[in-house]
Amino acid sequence: MQSMQRQFGKLLHKAPGDNAKVAVLLNDYEDADRVLAKIIDHAKSWRESWICLAMAQLGIVNEFDGLWDPIVGASDGHGRPTVPTPDLQLERTLKLKEVYTELKAEILEEVAVIESTIIKPATDARDCIAPLRKTIKKRENKRLDYEKCQDKVNKLQRKSGRSPKEDVALVKAEGEVATAAEEFHVADSHLRDTLPPLVTATFSLLPPLIGGVVTIQNRLLGLYYTTLHNYCQDFGLPSPPPPMETVVSMWSADYEPVKREVESITCIATGKAVKQPMTLPDDPSIIDSQKPSASSLTSAGENGFRRVSSGLIGSSNVTPPTTGPRPSRVPSSTSLASQASTPVKQKPSFLSSNHLAPTDFTTASRLGQRLSPATSPGSTQPRSDYFGRPSTSSTTTSTNSLNTVSSIASIAGKKKPPPPPPKRIGSTRPEEFVIAQYTFTGQSAGDLSFREGDRIKIVKKTGTDQDWWVGEIDGVRGSFPANYCRTT
């Protein structure tokens, strides 16, 4: 019960002892505790980051070591013989593993100093100032008890015509006030004497902690860069490394001649594979495109022929047609007209319009453009191969037949456009204005300031004038109190 009364007292009263000096001391105490907590948390995160860095880099080097280090007995009569790793490359890899192993041990040893230099002193300092919370709470309770007794005395003293019983209660209440005041002053004096030295000592600890952080960080960076610099010096590698633009240009200078030499080989330049799209058979986009679509089924039924699947797309489950045109040709307009009178069974197409989309390896291919459902990929335009050379297999006759088929399909598939919707008749609402009866200065951003007598245009209003409306004066728009104005 007493605790609940103290909580109400915090809301209803401002204590005589809660002056500016004590408030400053309490704020300093909270700041000191908050700073120490942040130092501890960030120091732990900093330590874990360095440990993760050392572990991850050593793991990468171990992967390189496993890649280049030969496996004993791997090619003893089993499979094809392996190519031995060059001695220089193997020596660099093994030396790099050794260097990073030593670097990890040194970093972990240095990181362990963070615990004793940063985390432990900050934790001890926070533990030392933690008991002061009880002292602060005790003083606060004494203050509330004193205020409660003082209010009781004031209430009895203001009452006129007190009875003898009330006089006795007044005397008793005055005694309680004296006792509560003495206890409050003792707690207040103890807090004023104890809190400033502890807060000062806590803040004086921060510069050494920050200095320790800087020293440890410099030591860790020195270990890291010194180790890598010595490794680069031993093997003649540039330290620091050249810019990435230089690395890319050097790689391109070595790669382009080899690329041109390979592309000049006759079997590669004129072979069948170079004229096929550069997508793999297990490409998810191709697998999805193999599913027949409604447009392809309709097109196959109307035109009486099916598309030819690419050599990269598996079509073992598709039964070849027994009748109709050859798969490698597009029927002419005459054959299309003769087949239109004969019902032909629909056959699904397993080649969608986007299965030959250009990949990251070539931008010369033009087969990735969307084609009409009734045409084959290589018949609408000259086909481009790996080297960007157009194919000359298309003829004028096939082009004319395709134009005829495309025009028939476009006319058959064209729909009559729907009627346009009726136009909306805009409602015109007359502008409303109010006259300011008082001067108002905006209290926050978005408020509309005005002077008495100003004419305000109403932009948005509510159903009552005991609210804020939106108005406009000389092009400036903002919210204003509606009860400051009257209607015109």
Side-chain angles (χ1 to χ4, degrees):
M1 187 64 182
Q2 186 179 10
S3 176
M4 185 177 297
Q5 291 175 349
R6 288 170 177 170
Q7 294 298 327
F8 278 111
K10 291 181 181 179
L11 300 175
L12 299 176
H13 303 285
K14 291 184 178 180
D18 193 12
N19 51 30
K21 183 176 180 181
V22 175
V24 170
L25 292 177
L26 295 178
N27 290 334
D28 291 343
Y29 172 79
E30 294 296 337
D31 290 342
D33 183 73
R34 185 165 49 251
V35 168
L36 290 176
K38 288 185 176 181
I39 288 177
I40 295 171
D41 293 340
H42 291 308
K44 291 180 179 179
S45 301
W46 176 42
R47 179 184 60 185
E48 295 299 326
S49 299
W50 272 104
I51 294 176
C52 292
L53 177 64
M55 299 293 291
Q57 289 185 338
L58 182 59
I60 295 175
V61 176
N62 286 333
E63 294 297 329
F64 280 110
D65 177 66
L67 178 65
W68 298 117
D69 194 10
I71 302 176
V72 179
S75 60
D76 296 346
H78 302 284
R80 58 184 179 181
T82 58
V83 179
T85 305
D87 294 338
L88 178 59
Q89 188 171 358
L90 185 60
E91 182 184 359
R92 287 179 177 178
T93 304
L94 297 177
K95 181 64 176 178
L96 187 62
K97 178 181 179 181
E98 178 184 351
V99 165
Y100 268 104
T101 303
E102 296 176 357
L103 178 62
K104 174 191 171 184
E106 293 177 353
I107 287 178
L108 294 181
E109 181 181 354
E110 195 67 35
V111 164
V113 183
I114 298 177
E115 177 69 28
S116 59
T117 307
I118 309 298
I119 299 177
K120 192 175 184 304
T123 304
D124 293 342
R126 195 180 183 197
D127 293 340
C128 289
I129 65 175
L132 279 178
R133 291 194 178 276
K134 295 183 178 180
T135 304
I136 295 173
K137 185 176 180 180
K138 181 179 179 181
R139 174 191 175 276
E140 184 69 13
N141 291 337
K142 296 296 182 182
R143 180 181 68 82
L144 295 174
D145 293 342
Y146 170 71
E147 292 176 355
K148 178 184 174 183
C149 295
Q150 187 67 40
D151 290 342
K152 185 177 180 180
V153 170
N154 293 335
K155 183 178 179 181
L156 292 174
Q157 288 178 349
R158 286 194 300 267
K159 189 174 182 180
S160 59
R162 292 188 298 269
S163 62
K165 184 178 181 180
E166 291 175 342
D167 290 337
V168 173
L170 177 60
V171 173
K172 182 179 178 181
E174 289 176 349
E176 292 176 353
V177 168
T179 303
E182 183 179 357
E183 293 177 354
F184 167 71
H185 288 304
V186 170
D188 186 68
S189 301
H190 177 69
L191 184 65
R192 290 171 181 267
D193 297 338
T194 307
L195 195 57
L198 288 178
V199 172
T200 303
T202 302
F203 280 109
S204 65
L205 186 65
L206 298 182
L209 292 178
I210 297 175
V213 171
V214 174
T215 302
I216 295 174
Q217 182 74 0
N218 287 337
R219 237 182 282 162
L220 289 170
L221 294 175
L223 284 173
Y224 188 86
Y225 289 115
T226 301
T227 302
L228 294 182
H229 178 74
N230 293 337
Y231 174 80
C232 294
Q233 292 294 325
D234 293 342
F235 290 96
L237 301 175
S239 178
M244 186 54 61
E245 293 79 4
T246 305
V247 176
V248 173
S249 62
M250 293 172 61
W251 179 85
S252 299
D254 295 337
Y255 167 73
E256 291 297 334
V258 177
K259 177 184 175 182
R260 288 192 295 269
E261 181 179 356
V262 172
E263 291 177 348
S264 63
I265 300 175
T266 304
C267 63
I268 295 178
T270 60
K272 177 181 178 181
V274 76
K275 300 179 181 179
Q276 294 179 350
M278 298 184 65
T279 51
L280 300 177
D282 56 350
D283 193 339
S285 62
I286 298 180
I287 297 175
D288 295 338
S289 66
Q290 292 178 359
K291 300 178 181 179
S293 60
S295 60
S296 63
L297 292 175
T298 305
S299 172
E302 292 177 355
N303 300 326
F305 65 93
R306 60 184 298 273
R307 300 182 190 177
V308 181
S309 301
S310 172
L312 295 180
I313 302 175
S315 58
S316 58
N317 297 331
V318 181
T319 303
T322 57
T323 61
R326 296 174 59 186
S328 60
R329 294 181 57 190
V330 177
S332 62
S333 59
T334 306
S335 62
L336 287 176
S338 62
Q339 292 177 7
S341 60
T342 304
V344 181
K345 184 178 179 180
Q346 294 183 357
K347 296 183 179 296
S349 173
F350 291 88
L351 187 61
S352 64
S353 61
N354 59 350
H355 85 289
L356 296 179
T359 63
D360 294 337
F361 301 98
T362 176
T363 55
S365 174
R366 298 168 58 189
L367 298 178
Q369 300 178 354
R370 295 189 175 271
L371 308 175
S372 83
T375 58
S376 61
S379 58
T380 56
Q381 55 187 1
R383 179 177 177 178
S384 299
D385 59 6
Y386 172 82
F387 299 95
R389 298 173 301 193
S391 175
T392 58
S393 60
S394 60
T395 60
T396 306
T397 305
S398 62
T399 303
N400 295 335
S401 63
L402 287 177
N403 292 336
T404 305
V405 172
S406 300
S407 60
I408 295 173
S410 60
I411 294 174
K414 191 174 182 181
K415 296 182 179 180
K416 184 179 180 180
K423 296 184 179 180
R424 294 184 178 180
I425 301 176
S427 60
T428 58
R429 183 172 62 87
E431 296 181 349
E432 297 184 38
F433 293 88
V434 292
I435 303 299
Q437 294 180 312
Y438 311 98
T439 299
F440 173 73
T441 303
Q443 301 173 355
S444 61
D447 291 350
L448 180 66
S449 301
F450 52 82
R451 292 177 296 180
E452 182 181 356
D454 285 349
R455 192 165 180 261
I456 305 173
K457 176 184 176 182
I458 298 177
V459 178
K460 185 177 179 181
K461 61 183 292 188
T462 59
T464 176
D465 61 352
Q466 300 299 320
D467 201 351
W468 289 72
W469 295 356
V470 179
E472 182 179 342
I473 300 178
D474 297 333
V476 179
R477 182 176 297 188
S479 301
F480 67 95
N483 56 1
Y484 272 51
C485 307
R486 60 179 176 82
T487 58
T488 57

